[in-house]
Amino acid sequence: MIRKLRTIEMQRLSVEEFREARKVPLIVVLDDVRSMHNVGSVLRTADAFLLEAVYLCGITGRPPHPEIHKTALGAEDSVAWKYFPTAVEAIEELKGRGVTVLSVEQAEGSTMLNDFHPNENTVYAIVMGNEVKGVHQEVINMSDGCLEIPQYGTKHSMNVSVTAGIVIWHFVKDGL
């Protein structure tokens, strides 16, 4: 018989322990993501995988906000986040620190996610775009490349937070 673990058995970090823990060198940039639920979900996933930070840009909602909290479940307090008026400003800051920036977008010359292998000792940022318009072209132009999740159905479109989860997992599964 398989027994589900109780919360106290999961060895969860406290917020203070999370803040002090060694982070995965990955930053998620949300480029005009309009849904507070998507923002909260990305923060929660960033917490789950000990990511360095989440950058909230443009119209992307910011904590504290009840709709963000509804899906973040407190991750808005543990994960480092920073607001930028535009994603361009966030990318400029990241590039100034030597971070490799990859937009997650269906674009000419995109690298399929299953063909991408992160380099050790490299800090990455992944840019997730607006639910309707995607990543701004100006941000793609500033990026070091684009990643694309292979899709085989009729939609060729996924929810921002689902996409972020898939891409984040790809980065951390081999111990980035």
Side-chain angles (χ1 to χ4, degrees), residues 49-173:
F49 292 109
L50 273 170
L51 299 192
E52 185 176 316
V54 175
Y55 285 7
L56 309 171
C57 305
I59 66 167
T60 304
R62 304 183 297 269
H65 193 286
E67 286 185 49
I68 291 174
H69 180 72
K70 184 175 182 177
T71 49
L73 296 178
E76 69 273 32
D77 299 324
S78 57
V79 174
W81 62 269
K82 189 172 181 180
Y83 174 74
F84 292 84
T86 68
V88 167
E89 293 169 78
I91 303 311
E92 288 172 345
E93 190 254 74
L94 291 163
K95 298 287 260 175
R97 292 190 315 153
V99 174
T100 299
V101 177
L102 300 170
S103 289
V104 180
E105 188 59 82
Q106 296 165 333
E108 293 176 351
S110 288
T111 300
M112 290 298 165
L113 187 61
N114 51 309
D115 294 329
F116 176 76
H117 306 285
N119 295 320
E120 290 184 34
N121 304 317
T122 300
V123 179
Y124 288 95
I126 54 171
V127 183
M128 310 301 302
N130 175 273
E131 292 88 342
V132 175
K133 298 178 182 177
V135 178
H136 286 96
Q137 184 64 49
E138 187 176 10
V139 173
I140 291 171
N141 294 346
M142 296 173 72
S143 297
D144 296 299
C146 287
L147 295 176
E148 183 176 339
I149 298 172
Q151 298 173 53
Y152 309 104
T154 61
K155 298 300 174 203
H156 289 259
S157 171
M158 290 188 288
N159 178 276
V160 171
S161 63
V162 171
T163 300
I166 291 168
V167 175
I168 291 166
W169 172 247
H170 186 82
F171 274 84
V172 301
K173 69 180 174 59

Side-chain angles (χ1 to χ4, degrees), residues 39-54:
V39 174
S41 182
V42 169
L43 285 165
R44 190 165 158 190
T45 302
D47 177 283
F49 292 109
L50 273 170
L51 299 192
E52 185 176 316
V54 175

